[in-house]
Amino acid sequence: MVSTQETAGPAARMTGEQRKLLVAILVPLFMSLLSISIVNVTLPTMQTSLRASDQAIQWVLSGYTLAFGVVMVAAGRAGDLYGRGRLFMGGLVVFGLGSLLSGLAPDPVVLNLARVLMGLGSGLLSPQGVGMIQQFFSGKARGIAFGMFGSVVGVSVAIGPVLGGVLVLGFGDQWGWRTAMLINVPIAAIAMVVGRIWMPSAAWTGPAAADRAQTGPRPKVDLDPVGVALLGVAILFIMLPFLERSIGPAIYVLLVVGAALIVVWVRWERRYAARGGAPMVDLQLFRTPSFAYGSTLAGVFFMGLTSVWVVSALYLQNGLGFSALASGLMGVPSAVFSAIVPQITGRIVFTYGRKLVVAGIGVALIGVVASIGIVLAHESHGISPWWLMLTLSFIGISQGMVISPNQALTLAEVPVEYAGSSGGIMSTGQRVGTAIGIAIITAAFFVALDRGYDTAFIAAYGAIGVFIALAGVVGLIDLASGRARRRVAQREPA
């Protein structure tokens, strides 16, 4: 049987069952994350094929991202209660159906509705994957598992544009983007079969399922529907202005409303817990420094990190005339590093702790500054922009040092019964951070565009560097706080 969090001893090696479980978890996660990055390259042919307006085609990304972000925390809590395997499979069904409808969409309306369905499916399954790693892996094996999780995240972000370019080149403008959607359907079907066979029986049960098996009085299983609704609407209002900023300044009023709803949600959760209910998120989690600092660091880091590839694609394709495939190939070395490095850091994360994450943030800053240097040299001395392959490789190395180690450290002290909802909180913070970061950084790019693409790239990468540096500050504060806590613990009598 696969070991759980409660199993004693820091398991250094994964069992055969654990390896099978990781495959069952990570392949669908890779598929769902790839469906975000692959669209960046296929959007132009998608728009031409369907004769879609600019606003309609923007919702191919926005609808997916919104649905993905809004449901994750609630889906994580539902998985904690009703069985993570059940919610994971449900997410696969919804995601596969959305992919099928997207690939066969006759017009932009159907396409956007189908992409929302894909986002809902991805939001259902993503927190279950993190929850099952928390549940079934412990000690060094958990670090290794999160390392593989980080590889999936890094490779899916970097390889998506390359795969999208290859599919458009191979299948043409009409069927290239459709193939990018339809390819998910057989993968989802196979993943359902593999998951049903390889997921342990404990993945299919939660308190709610256990209650149904009892013959005596059944304790109440509480999903906190008011809390779910409040947080979902708050996240929607916070993300929407950054995804639909073309509507005009008035849409930013929703930010204030969303922030107010967060305050209402926090008060509701506290009151609900005081009345004896089971809130969707145990706010005591945020009193755990590792969770509070790690969640904040992840959100801020993603504000900068995910814009790297958006800005690079704009610069290379629109500014320098690169093809979609050539632009995608620029990220291949980074993808390779983002696959390899987490396998190393996953084994040493609990040895070096947050120091490893802070060092990784430093590596990202080196990559950002070096990329600005390449563009300056291209403008002044005509150096080849292909040198960006080298500097962007530092971004891949950084991903491997930051994303999965930070995830492992942030969730290390979270009780297993909240593994899904806490993972959902982290993932939601990353999605919100991504939406805000892309909005701010692309705005910096376009404001500076009057002075040329080189200047626009430098301005945007400067903003990226600021966000990444802020993430580093959060990591340094956590390190200093950890040292202070250890000194206090050492002075306290046993």
Side-chain angles (χ1 to χ4, degrees):
M1 177 59 66
V2 180
S3 61
T4 67
Q5 188 181 26
E6 291 80 5
T7 302
R13 294 183 179 181
M14 286 191 288
T15 64
E17 288 82 1
Q18 287 175 320
R19 293 190 185 94
K20 291 177 180 178
L21 176 59
L22 264 185
V23 172
I25 292 171
L26 295 183
V27 170
L29 284 177
F30 177 82
M31 175 184 66
S32 68
L33 292 170
L34 187 71
S35 291
I36 300 175
S37 61
I38 200 171
V39 170
N40 291 327
V41 170
T42 59
L43 275 179
T45 57
M46 198 180 293
Q47 183 172 13
T48 302
S49 173
L50 295 177
R51 297 190 179 97
S53 66
D54 290 343
Q55 187 173 10
I57 210 67
Q58 285 174 358
W59 268 95
V60 174
L61 280 173
S62 301
Y64 184 98
T65 304
L66 278 173
F68 190 81
V70 165
V71 304
M72 273 197 291
V73 180
R77 181 57 176 156
D80 293 339
L81 291 175
Y82 295 98
R84 297 180 182 110
R86 298 171 187 271
L87 270 293
F88 195 87
M89 287 296 176
L92 276 174
V93 171
V94 174
F95 186 86
L97 179 60
S99 298
L100 178 63
L101 294 175
S102 295
L104 300 177
D107 55 57
V109 173
V110 174
L111 175 61
N112 283 316
L113 290 174
R115 284 286 292 178
V116 168
L117 200 61
M118 289 177 67
L120 290 173
S122 186
L124 284 172
L125 67 88
S126 291
Q128 316 312 330
V130 175
M132 282 190 275
I133 290 175
Q134 283 287 96
Q135 181 178 0
F136 296 110
F137 296 82
S138 61
K140 290 184 179 180
R142 182 183 293 170
I144 294 170
F146 273 121
M148 297 180 73
F149 175 87
S151 295
V152 164
V153 174
V155 173
S156 65
V157 170
I159 209 68
V162 180
L163 180 58
V166 169
L167 291 174
V168 170
L169 184 66
F171 291 93
D173 290 353
Q174 179 61 241
W175 280 99
W177 69 267
R178 293 182 185 275
T179 306
M181 304 292 173
L182 293 172
I183 196 172
N184 293 323
V185 178
I187 296 175
I190 294 170
M192 282 188 276
V193 175
V194 170
R196 195 65 187 89
I197 297 172
W198 284 355
M199 283 185 185
S201 58
W204 300 92
T205 59
D211 293 346
R212 287 192 295 270
Q214 291 179 355
T215 56
R218 300 176 182 179
K220 180 182 178 182
V221 176
D222 194 346
L223 192 55
D224 183 15
V226 174
V228 167
L230 282 173
L231 185 60
V233 175
I235 293 170
L236 174 65
F237 284 178
I238 290 171
M239 292 183 70
L240 194 58
F242 296 102
L243 296 171
E244 283 298 305
R245 58 191 184 278
S246 60
I247 292 175
I251 196 171
Y252 286 94
V253 173
L254 291 179
L255 274 178
V256 179
V257 179
L261 284 174
I262 289 289
V263 173
V264 173
W265 172 75
V266 169
R267 291 182 176 178
W268 166 264
E269 294 293 275
R270 287 175 176 167
R271 182 181 176 187
Y272 199 62
R275 288 164 46 191
M280 68 173 297
V281 174
D282 184 355
L283 296 178
Q284 295 297 320
L285 289 174
F286 291 97
R287 294 189 177 183
T288 303
S290 59
F291 182 79
Y293 284 119
S295 299
T296 304
L297 187 152
V300 177
F301 186 70
F302 270 71
M303 283 184 186
L305 178 78
T306 48
S307 296
V308 164
W309 305 108
V310 176
V311 173
S312 298
L314 287 170
Y315 172 70
L316 293 169
Q317 293 179 236
N318 297 348
L320 302 185
F322 276 46
S323 68
L325 179 58
S327 174
L329 288 173
M330 194 70 75
V332 169
S334 178
V336 172
F337 280 115
S338 64
I340 295 172
V341 173
Q343 307 308 311
I344 301 170
T345 56
R347 299 173 189 275
I348 61 175
V349 58
F350 293 113
T351 301
Y352 294 96
R354 196 72 73 186
K355 293 178 183 177
L356 179 64
V357 175
V358 172
I361 291 172
V363 172
L365 287 173
I366 292 172
V368 168
V369 172
S371 296
I372 291 174
I374 293 297
V375 172
L376 286 171
H378 170 71
E379 183 180 17
S380 60
H381 296 92
I383 189 173
S384 172
W386 282 100
W387 281 102
L388 284 170
M389 289 184 79
L390 175 62
T391 59
L392 291 174
S393 296
F394 285 91
I395 303 299
I397 296 170
S398 171
Q399 285 178 284
M401 296 176 70
V402 175
I403 296 175
S404 58
N406 183 63
Q407 189 115 20
L409 293 168
T410 301
L411 299 177
E413 298 177 45
V414 172
V416 71
E417 62 267 24
Y418 285 100
S421 54
S422 59
I425 291 170
M426 277 200 74
S427 298
T428 300
Q430 292 167 10
R431 299 287 78 75
V432 172
T434 297
I436 294 173
I438 287 177
I440 293 173
I441 291 164
T442 54
F445 182 92
F446 288 117
V447 166
L449 193 56
D450 289 341
R451 298 184 180 182
Y453 276 93
D454 291 331
T455 302
F457 179 96
I458 292 166
Y461 262 59
I464 289 170
V466 169
F467 282 123
I468 292 175
L470 286 174
V473 170
V474 175
L476 290 172
I477 292 172
D478 186 29
L479 279 174
S481 173
R483 293 191 189 103
R485 292 193 302 272
R486 285 192 293 273
R487 285 196 296 268
V488 170
Q490 289 170 359
R491 287 197 296 267
E492 290 179 352

